[in-house]
Amino acid sequence: MNNAFLYKHLLIVLAAGTILGSCSKSFVTKTPSNNLPTPDALNSASALQSDLNGTYAEIRNVDQFGRDFLVIGDLMADNTFVEARNSGRYLYQYADAIPVTDQVTRDMWGESYTGILRCNNIIDANVSGTDAIKAQAYAIRALLYFKLVNIWATPYTSDSSAMGVPLVLHYNVTATPARSSVGAVYRQIVSDLTKAFATAPAYVNSVTLSKYAIEGLLARVYMYMGDYTDALTAAKDVINNGPFTLVSANSFLSFWANPGVHTDAVEVMFEIDCDPVNNNAFDDLGAIYINGYQDIYCSSQLAGLFDSTDVRLFLLIQGTTKSGALAYLVNKFPNAQNNDRDNLKVIRLAEVYLIAAESAARLGQTTAAQGYVNSVAQTRDGAFGGYTDSGPALIADIVQERRKELAFEGDRLFDMNRLGLPINRATNNGSVAQGNGLSIAYPNDYRISPLPQQELLANPNIAKQQNPGY
């Protein structure tokens, strides 16, 4: 069954569970079979583990955490730009003019629901003694729904009753679900992560979803819901009781240069493995920035936020675009041309500190908030004296620190959407004209992506549920 059929008839086929796992672009799975078995076929712990391996491989896909999720979160905001001499990728996203037929949007949607189907089949399989495996499936399903609802729906903090995305939670050959509300999708995400946390495995390595990595994701979700009390509680538990430590300034650059799996619990809580066999080849995330297509560059506005003593500045290389304009190249993912490519960070301890900081600040716990944000800021820049603001100014400091720390990891657009912030891009030399220097107010219909046209044609229950403006 080919990919055109998959995308044209996605939800119908997802429910049927008869599709082949996509091998989009150069994606290679870790499992010997591309078939997506029904829950009844998953009748042993070894079968569930094999399918879980395939599910981890699925979310490495270029159309998910392998590249698109991470790229659009920065490019559709104000952190990056596409240069004039480009390979034709992400031009609609940068121009803030995505058509309903856009391939990037279509493939992100389609591959995400393929991953959700894999999770559903593991969760519904009747096999005893597999709680840890199912916990990871719950967590991956939550991760995918969190991305879906942020890309295709109004932020929870703006209107939780708005249309979210279809919830597909079980194998059903006749399902053509309508869009659930944003609130319903978030409740499902919280439920999945709570269940996952209860039976998740202890930390073994950075490419397995473990107990405190899952709680870190839960803290993120609570913050996006504006539930700062629960976000702070979860974040503090991770910081105080989890095994993780922040990477030091002296080790920061080598941390990002290292493509290997971590077993030391330093900084990275969960990342997606791209090893010498299983990777996205020339479609690797890093290649869109450097050592490959090299289409996307750091905005001058973002580069200007880093002091000369901030170690994060050294993840940028002063150089030129391919057409010769002065620009900052992104070297956060430097292994695009190496045999072992960069693993793809999903959540790091620094983010959890910043979740704790923002949540504490919004709850009026100024001293605690300063402590959390300065734990990150002063670790990255030993010459920085620390943030001393309070109230709204401290919250603005924390949001800016999130921008600096999480740059190129796909969070910026969704931070700006949940906070209702306008997007005011710098005018970057060498950028394509469409999107360069663009200002996008909040709210704006085009900060939310359109549902793919193929999906509207295939599913009558969402045919009239397209997002406004499309």
Side-chain angles (χ1 to χ4, degrees):
M1 197 171 293
N2 62 37
N3 279 346
F5 185 91
L6 166 64
Y7 295 122
K8 185 175 179 181
H9 302 281
L10 177 65
L11 285 181
I12 297 172
V13 178
L14 279 178
T18 58
I19 63 172
L20 298 179
S22 170
C23 290
S24 174
K25 304 183 177 84
S26 57
F27 172 66
V28 181
T29 69
K30 285 188 175 181
T31 52
S33 172
N34 282 332
N35 291 319
L36 297 180
T38 67
D40 289 341
L42 297 172
N43 54 16
S44 68
S46 61
L48 257 66
Q49 182 62 58
S50 177
D51 209 49
L52 179 64
N53 292 343
T55 305
Y56 276 119
E58 168 63 33
I59 62 174
R60 186 181 59 240
N61 195 300
V62 168
D63 306 308
Q64 296 166 279
F65 291 96
R67 193 178 72 195
D68 290 354
F69 284 171
L70 281 69
V71 167
I72 67 166
D74 287 276
L75 186 64
M76 291 179 67
D78 53 5
N79 276 354
T80 57
F81 68 91
V82 180
E83 77 136 310
R85 182 182 161 194
N86 59 73
S87 62
R89 289 167 169 79
Y90 304 111
L91 297 179
Y92 293 132
Q93 281 70 25
Y94 186 55
D96 194 44
I98 305 173
V100 296
T101 55
D102 175 54
Q103 181 178 344
V104 171
T105 307
R106 178 196 71 186
D107 292 356
M108 286 191 300
W109 177 279
E111 293 295 347
S112 295
Y113 275 103
T114 298
I116 287 167
L117 173 61
R118 284 187 175 276
C119 295
N120 291 345
N121 286 345
I122 294 169
I123 290 166
D124 287 346
N126 185 20
V127 181
S128 61
T130 58
D131 288 349
I133 295 173
K134 291 191 175 189
Q136 294 166 75
Y138 273 116
I140 294 171
R141 185 169 76 178
L143 259 177
L144 290 171
Y145 271 122
F146 183 73
K147 281 297 183 183
L148 286 166
V149 78
N150 275 280
I151 294 169
W152 279 282
T154 298
Y156 186 100
T157 47
S158 293
D159 184 3
S160 64
S161 66
M163 289 187 295
V165 295
L167 284 172
V168 182
L169 304 177
H170 302 286
Y171 176 93
N172 184 338
V173 295
T174 62
T176 52
R179 297 175 71 174
S180 297
S181 71
V182 169
V185 176
Y186 267 91
R187 287 191 293 273
Q188 186 62 51
I189 293 167
V190 170
S191 174
D192 281 356
L193 289 175
T194 302
K195 289 177 181 176
F197 178 71
T199 59
Y203 175 82
V204 176
N205 59 52
S206 59
V207 297
T208 301
L209 276 158
S210 57
K211 186 178 183 72
Y212 288 103
I214 290 168
E215 190 173 30
L217 294 171
L218 185 58
R220 178 195 286 172
V221 171
Y222 282 138
M223 186 180 71
Y224 269 66
M225 296 173 71
D227 180 355
Y228 300 112
T229 298
D230 283 333
L232 180 58
T233 298
K236 286 171 63 177
D237 192 43
V238 173
I239 293 166
N240 295 333
N241 298 314
F244 304 102
T245 58
L246 292 170
V247 64
S248 69
N250 289 338
S251 300
F252 187 78
L253 297 180
S254 60
F255 167 83
W256 284 103
N258 177 13
V261 174
H262 289 262
T263 58
D264 55 10
V266 172
E267 187 64 47
V268 62
M269 299 166 64
F270 174 60
E271 61 184 353
I272 294 166
D273 191 16
C274 295
D275 60 37
V277 175
N278 302 288
N279 59 67
N280 292 319
F282 52 82
D283 282 320
D284 179 79
L285 170 68
I288 205 71
Y289 291 115
I290 198 168
N291 301 322
Y293 297 117
Q294 200 168 301
D295 282 349
I296 300 177
Y297 298 76
C298 177
S299 76
S300 58
Q301 184 188 69
L302 172 59
L305 296 179
F306 297 104
D307 290 335
S308 60
T309 50
D310 191 325
V311 69
R312 293 172 295 197
L313 176 63
F314 298 95
L315 294 175
L316 304 176
I317 297 174
Q318 287 184 287
T320 65
T321 66
K322 290 176 292 186
S323 52
L326 294 175
Y328 286 93
L329 285 75
V330 177
N331 200 36
K332 203 169 193 177
F333 315 102
N335 293 294
Q337 294 296 323
N338 296 336
N339 186 40
D340 191 1
R341 288 168 172 81
D342 300 282
N343 290 340
L344 308 164
K345 309 295 186 282
V346 177
I347 187 164
R348 297 189 286 116
L349 185 62
E351 181 185 354
V352 178
Y353 270 92
L354 295 172
I355 292 169
E358 183 177 338
S359 300
R362 293 184 183 280
L363 294 170
Q365 301 176 25
T366 301
T367 301
Q370 291 170 344
Y372 288 125
V373 69
N374 286 332
S375 291
V376 176
Q378 292 180 295
T379 298
R380 303 298 184 244
D381 184 355
F384 177 54
Y387 292 106
T388 59
D389 289 328
S390 61
L394 177 58
I395 293 171
D397 292 338
I398 295 164
V399 172
Q400 178 168 288
E401 198 61 33
R402 281 183 62 87
R403 183 182 185 185
K404 292 158 67 177
E405 178 66 26
L406 302 177
F408 322 118
E409 296 177 58
D411 295 274
R412 178 63 174 166
L413 173 67
F414 310 112
D415 267 348
M416 299 184 85
N417 283 351
R418 72 178 173 88
L419 297 170
L421 297 175
I423 296 169
N424 295 309
R425 292 182 187 157
T427 300
N428 290 285
N429 293 330
S431 171
V432 294
Q434 295 82 3
N436 194 25
L438 191 66
S439 292
I440 311 169
Y442 187 89
N444 182 293
D445 291 342
Y446 302 109
R447 291 170 63 147
I448 300 169
S449 294
L451 270 64
Q453 182 68 19
Q454 289 90 334
E455 189 58 35
L456 299 180
L457 293 173
N459 182 353
N461 289 317
I462 63 170
K464 296 183 178 181
Q465 293 185 321
Q466 178 60 278
N467 283 325
Y470 294 101

